[in-house]
Amino acid sequence: MGASIESLQERVRGEVVEPGSPRYDEARTVYNAMHDRRPRAVVQCADAADVIATVQTAHDEGLDLAVRGGGHSVPGFGTVDDGLVVDLSGMRNVQVDPAKGVARAGGGAVWGDFDHATNAFGLSTTGGVISTTGVGGLTLGGGIGYLARKYGLSCDNLIAADVVTADGRLLRASEDENDDLFWALRGGGGNFGVVTSLEFRLHPVGNIVGGPIFFELDAAADVMDFYRQYIAQAPEELGAFFMFQIAPPLPFIPEERHGDTLCGVVTCWSGPESDAAAVLKPLRDAGPVVAEHVGPMPYPALNSAFDALLPPGLQHYWKADFVKELTDDAITAHVEHGSQVPVVNSTVHLYPIDGAVQRVRPDETAFAYRDVSFACVIAGMWPDPADNAANTEWVRDYWSAIHPYSGTDGGYVNFMGDDDQDRVEANYGGNYERLSKVKATYDPDNLFHLNQNIQPAR
Ligand code: FAD
């Protein structure tokens, strides 16, 4: 007899939260408030055994299965109507081995958990720029962050992962074990199973010098022009992304400028503190500075500095591209649409894809776009559902204007929306066929299909 949902609570240590439970609404809620779904049950897993029981139940009962770590999926992949949710948020433990320079994170850990644990030893790895994003979801898609130019993507720092596959086995994936699965996990997203723990290489980064520099909007074309050249030559210890951003009401920004649309660069210098001023000086001179908040701080402080702008419960609609070369025409289109950013939560980021990221071959991991210059995301985020149409339109119009200049068909899977499934092949470039074969090996019936879905090869 197969594993039934009725007996699931007896077989797990965590809680099976079903409709009717006073905790149901809280348990089914995900970060993007656009996704108001009603799962058959949310299984708040306590350990890998709970994950195995839940995967077996979904498999045997033919239920849709959603996997949730940090819950940040913009397309809402961490929830599903009438199906089962594997909720990993109870598995957030992070263990650090400072002597070996490695850390092992539970499948539901968020970057705030990870940075907190590793910073105690003056160590870090590349992670996300918001502390509430999941380590699992971000790393499996690739993982772009401040330290990427020096140390590679998050997935480039993954040493091993424990994975519950569709048949309910717990496999270890590393260079030495199930290496095809390990290859696919590093960029292939949640297509291959539920990752119950992830082991990372750490680097000696404790304190950094960083923060945002805001420039006048009418200098945006010059600042972008400067930024594209500057970042290509800057020392790899500098992480820095360009943005369009409405000035939030923060004390370091003159009060009369709060609410003005500006452009800016968020910096993170992980080299010697004494070199920071010289490295950042050309950037500060790139245009008229409205305000800046750059200084020494622990790395986790920068990675949580913008959390308050992005509380749970906003509406999200995003679109994205990899950018081969940031051309003059692209800059013109960016300035036209970036200056129309509708609300303080929304933003546009250009993240550099260079340095250590490019030293990994495009076919060495599933993350294919190693030979581009930037990953661009137009991140529409706003509080009021009444504004959905207008904000979605801003994102779509912006993307339509810049896409012709991107020089690639693909974008970063973790920045894609739910209407981007037709771009999945393009997002994996030359790696799609191999990913499809690995999918056929580990998930031939596509149990894990609530993601940017890779079809199993026939
Ligand atoms: P979830 O919704 O929990 O998971 C998303 C999907 O990932 C799941 O459906 C599943 O398919 C898969 N998944 C998650 N955990 C597991 C697991 N343990 N095992 C198997 N599959 C799993 N990306 C960057 O690269 N850099 C950034 O700096 C960055 N910043 C972001 C900031 C915000 C505010 C948001 C909303 C997103 C950001 N992203 C960033 C994108 C982010 O990488 C993706 O949204 C990612 O999917 C989030 O992972 P999660 O675990 O939080 O999400």
Side-chain angles (χ1 to χ4, degrees), residues 336-394:
E336 184 189 340
H337 292 268
S339 56
Q340 306 299 320
V341 59
V343 45
V344 69
N345 315 96
S346 287
T347 190
V348 178
H349 290 174
L350 272 174
Y351 293 97
I353 299 288
D354 58 14
V357 182
Q358 295 200 350
R359 286 196 287 277
V360 178
R361 285 191 327 270
D363 63 355
E364 213 170 315
T365 71
F367 188 97
Y369 284 86
R370 304 275 183 174
D371 54 353
V372 296
S373 305
F374 298 101
C376 176
V377 62
I378 307 156
M381 303 180 272
W382 62 98
D384 189 349
D387 299 332
N388 286 6
N391 283 275
T392 304
E393 195 181 324
W394 171 72

Side-chain angles (χ1 to χ4, degrees), residues 93-109:
N93 187 33
V94 180
Q95 279 175 302
V96 185
D97 184 336
K100 288 195 180 139
V102 299
R104 189 183 169 96

Side-chain angles (χ1 to χ4, degrees), residues 130 137 198 210 241 291 324 336 368 388 424 440 458:
I130 299 290
L198 306 97
F241 66 83
K324 187 95 187 159
E336 184 189 340
N388 286 6
V424 174
R458 285 173 190 274

Side-chain angles (χ1 to χ4, degrees), residues 31 67-74 77-78 88 107-108 127-130 132-138 140 142-145 189-191 193-196 198 310 316 318 351 381 412 414-415 450-451:
Y31 184 75
V67 180
R68 190 193 307 162
H72 270 204
S73 165
V74 169
F77 291 139
L88 300 166
V129 303
I130 299 290
T132 51
T133 307
V135 172
L138 182 138
L140 297 175
I144 297 170
N191 273 281
V194 185
V195 176
T196 55
L198 306 97
L310 302 171
H316 291 248
W318 296 18
Y351 293 97
M381 303 180 272
Y412 174 36
N414 275 348
F415 291 161
L450 297 172
N451 42 48

Side-chain angles (χ1 to χ4, degrees), residues 309-326:
L309 271 179
L310 302 171
L314 298 176
Q315 319 284 310
H316 291 248
Y317 181 77
W318 296 18
K319 284 195 102 56
D321 272 332
F322 285 117
V323 179
K324 187 95 187 159
E325 190 191 337
L326 186 64

